Amino acid sequence: MKATVLSALLLCCGPAWGQALERGNGPEPSTLDAHRCPEVACANVLRDLYEGLVAEDGAGRLIPGMAERWEASADGRTWTFHLRAGLRWSNGEALDAPQVVASFRRAFTPLTAAPFAGHFDAIDNAARVQRGEVAPARLGVAAPDPATVVFTLSRSADLPRLLTLPTAYPVYLPAIAEHGAQHTRPGKLVVNGAYRLADWLPQAMITLERNPRFRDPAPIERVRFHVTEDASSELKRFESGGLHITETVPPQPLPQLRERFGDQLRISPYLGAFWLGFNLEQPPFQGNAALREALSLAINRDILTRHVTGLGETPAYGLVPPGVADYAPASLGWGRSTQKQREALARQRYREAGYGPDKPLEVELRYNTSTPHRRLSLAVAAMWREVLGVQVRLRNEEWKVFVGNRRQKAITQVFRGGWIADVDDARNFLDGFRADSPANWTGYDDARFTALLDAADRAPTLAARASLLRQAESRLLSAHALVPVYFYTSKHLVRPEVRGFQANPLDRHPSRFLTLSRTGSEP
């Protein structure tokens, strides 16, 4: 009841209670445990609560975080980070290098099950620690003194960029020892970032307040991250003055949106891919590549991006989006065919798979609750029915339920997938399809694909690395383990009184780099 009343007040009356930034944030974050965060919704909040050794500014550029400087050895295998003086946790206790090392060890233990620890497999023994084969003390992270953290790598990697991810944030281990999973609750969560946790009303909002022990006081006193799973409702809240920034914009004709909102509409290139995944561990898609390809061929991506999403997205025939550094993406060969040709081939593959008018495929398409996802799922179901005669059941689920079902691969058949880049690297999109990856929701298991990724890690040059990654992407696409649908744009509505909101390819906007002017809806 308290959350419902509070949300209603914010909806009707707009920002209140002094200077506060009201941010739409999509679904309810699944956790505020930095090492266990699996999605954008929690990462947005954690970026305000924590700071890693390296940080990003409002434009997405790397800047010093806890470390004031760092250097790498000539072979790129040893990185040394020098901490700032006077680092403090939000409870006032000192934060030093041994605590940073202890946090890394916690992140990689099997019990933590960090979903994105695989991004750090260049650190010596990282994968072996996560599998429980060696003790966490064997991880290639050390503290030779209280102000220095040293990483030892088994291969070259862009370590500073990786260290901006939540997996690399320090966590306050005494609180975890005392409170367990409850250490993320208000009054118990100890952090080191520009903000600290003030309140968390489930399915309503997370409220942060300025951390007085952070070295640079954040310009905005308070930030509220609102649960806004329904994009249309989020738009209404923005129009009423209840939000300064939306997480997204509902599908509407772009010219009308521009006429209606002008410069408040921010659409920018974004390193992200939307795709549909197949459960390869269960029938009907297990061992039936022809059926998977038929469904992919039957989708008219041009119609979807023009009339269903309609906010600058581009049709996708591959997994890695254009614009990723040092990489030329692969794509499905028939992506250059006409839609009529693709549909004819779709019917052929459908017959080869053992289906037709007398034996139509019955399948369930599962997605998390969201207006854009519902619209797209309806359109895809209609295309499959019209081209192939497929009978589709749509199933929407609240985010946490959806994520759990997708991960378990027990009841899913076709599901909403996608990937937003953690770092600007093609490997970041491909790594989730390793057989042992926690993000491998399809169950794709191909030794040659893994071998290509491993070879890319050992490649002597960027060009050789890119070639091997492209071969891996081509192999994944030819297996039709997923249906590429479109490449994202970031799309937000931002009120005029918000200053410092800058477009960047990873669409990250830490609140400490934003300011609020005393105009418009700001009291």
Side-chain angles (χ1 to χ4, degrees):
M1 179 62 71
K2 179 181 177 183
T4 302
V5 172
L6 185 55
S7 298
L9 285 172
L10 286 169
L11 178 60
C12 296
C13 306
W17 306 346
Q19 192 184 47
L21 177 66
E22 312 289 347
R23 302 185 62 157
N25 196 45
E28 170 88 349
S30 60
T31 182
L32 289 183
D33 184 328
H35 297 163
R36 290 174 166 150
C37 171
E39 83 272 324
V40 173
C42 60
N44 288 339
V45 182
L46 291 168
R47 208 167 286 120
D48 280 0
L49 290 172
Y50 287 95
E51 181 180 57
L53 291 164
V54 181
E56 293 168 311
D57 66 11
R61 297 174 296 232
L62 293 185
I63 58 173
M66 289 190 296
E68 62 182 1
R69 58 187 174 86
W70 55 86
E71 65 267 354
S73 60
D75 63 1
R77 301 299 177 90
T78 303
W79 288 77
T80 304
F81 292 80
H82 305 276
L83 301 188
R84 300 175 186 269
L87 292 174
R88 297 279 169 185
W89 294 102
S90 57
N91 64 0
E93 293 184 20
L95 170 55
D96 60 14
Q99 293 177 73
V100 174
V101 171
S103 288
F104 268 95
R105 290 174 178 173
R106 187 259 180 178
F108 286 89
T109 60
L111 184 62
T112 300
F116 298 139
H119 295 338
F120 296 83
D121 63 358
I123 299 175
D124 264 0
N125 288 322
R128 297 182 68 197
V129 171
Q130 195 175 33
R131 291 194 298 264
E133 296 173 0
V134 299
R138 298 276 301 278
L139 186 68
V141 187
D145 60 63
T148 308
V149 179
V150 178
F151 292 83
T152 305
L153 307 186
S154 57
R155 61 174 175 82
S156 60
D158 190 354
L159 185 61
R161 196 164 296 280
L162 288 171
L163 293 177
T164 65
L165 301 180
T167 306
Y169 294 162
V171 295
Y172 186 69
L173 296 176
I176 297 175
E178 181 178 356
H179 304 296
Q182 295 300 307
H183 82 277
T184 60
R185 307 311 300 177
K188 299 175 181 176
L189 184 62
V190 179
V191 296
N192 76 319
Y195 290 89
R196 61 188 182 187
L197 180 63
D199 199 11
W200 186 350
L201 298 175
Q203 293 301 327
M205 73 185 74
I206 292 175
T207 302
L208 311 184
E209 61 187 7
R210 186 187 290 139
N211 178 6
R213 294 184 172 90
F214 191 70
R215 63 182 177 278
D216 296 320
I220 299 174
E221 177 184 349
R222 185 179 292 104
V223 180
R224 283 187 283 267
F225 287 88
H226 296 261
V227 174
T228 53
E229 283 192 297
D230 184 82
S232 297
S233 297
E234 184 183 40
L235 176 61
K236 292 176 183 176
R237 294 177 70 169
F238 179 84
E239 290 183 298
S240 72
L243 294 174
H244 288 105
I245 303 170
T246 66
E247 170 63 13
T248 190
V249 178
Q252 293 185 18
L254 185 56
Q256 294 180 20
L257 283 171
R258 291 201 184 282
E259 181 179 357
R260 187 173 169 189
F261 293 105
D263 292 341
Q264 295 181 85
L265 178 63
R266 310 289 185 90
I267 297 178
S268 306
Y270 190 23
L271 296 185
F274 183 99
W275 43 266
L276 300 175
F278 297 112
N279 184 347
L280 304 183
E281 296 183 357
Q282 303 286 342
F285 299 110
Q286 184 181 37
N288 199 336
L291 178 59
R292 303 194 297 265
E293 185 178 15
L295 294 180
S296 185
L297 283 157
I299 293 177
N300 189 325
R301 294 156 175 84
D302 293 312
I303 287 179
L304 291 179
T305 53
R306 281 203 311 268
H307 303 296
V308 179
T309 60
L311 291 173
E313 298 87 353
T314 56
Y317 298 95
L319 176 62
V320 181
V324 169
D326 303 310
Y327 188 71
S331 66
L332 293 161
W334 42 253
R336 295 182 294 273
S337 302
T338 66
Q339 185 59 32
K340 184 177 180 180
Q341 291 171 328
R342 287 195 287 266
E343 290 176 4
L345 183 56
R347 287 185 281 269
Q348 178 184 330
R349 293 286 186 265
Y350 192 61
R351 290 191 298 271
E352 292 171 1
Y355 294 89
D358 297 330
K359 184 187 176 184
L361 173 68
E362 297 182 11
V363 70
E364 185 173 81
L365 172 54
R366 189 177 300 262
Y367 61 95
N368 59 291
T369 302
S370 160
T371 301
H373 296 337
R374 180 177 181 275
R375 284 169 53 93
L376 187 134
S377 297
L378 283 168
V380 168
M383 292 172 182
W384 285 347
R385 183 173 59 250
E386 179 179 343
V387 176
L388 301 174
V390 175
Q391 299 174 11
V392 184
R393 300 183 305 276
L394 298 182
R395 176 67 63 89
N396 73 292
E397 295 175 323
E398 184 268 335
W399 174 250
K400 290 183 181 179
V401 176
F402 170 78
V403 168
N405 285 332
R406 185 174 64 177
R407 181 178 60 248
Q408 292 167 13
K409 299 186 285 290
I411 61 174
T412 54
Q413 292 185 317
V414 187
F415 55 85
R416 176 250 161 176
W419 194 260
I420 304 300
D422 298 307
V423 291
D424 185 1
D425 185 355
R427 187 181 187 275
N428 189 241
F429 287 86
L430 298 168
D431 197 60
F433 291 89
R434 287 179 179 269
D436 60 351
S437 170
N440 187 356
W441 310 312
T442 65
Y444 179 68
D445 187 353
D446 179 63
R448 177 58 182 162
F449 173 82
T450 301
L452 287 166
L453 294 186
D454 291 342
D457 290 342
R458 299 188 299 269
T461 66
L462 283 176
R465 180 180 188 270
S467 175
L468 290 161
L469 290 176
R470 194 174 191 278
Q471 292 176 54
E473 183 183 9
S474 295
R475 189 169 181 87
L476 174 65
L477 295 174
S478 66
H480 304 288
L482 72 155
V483 178
V485 180
Y486 64 80
F487 295 124
Y488 280 99
T489 55
S490 66
K491 32 199 173 283
H492 304 277
L493 291 168
V494 182
R495 298 188 69 81
E497 55 267 32
V498 177
R499 307 296 169 82
F501 189 95
Q502 301 181 61
N504 59 81
L506 295 176
D507 197 32
R508 295 175 181 166
H509 307 280
S511 299
R512 71 180 173 114
F513 297 110
L514 303 177
T515 60
L516 283 176
S517 65
R518 297 288 181 177
T519 60
S521 65
E522 182 64 27

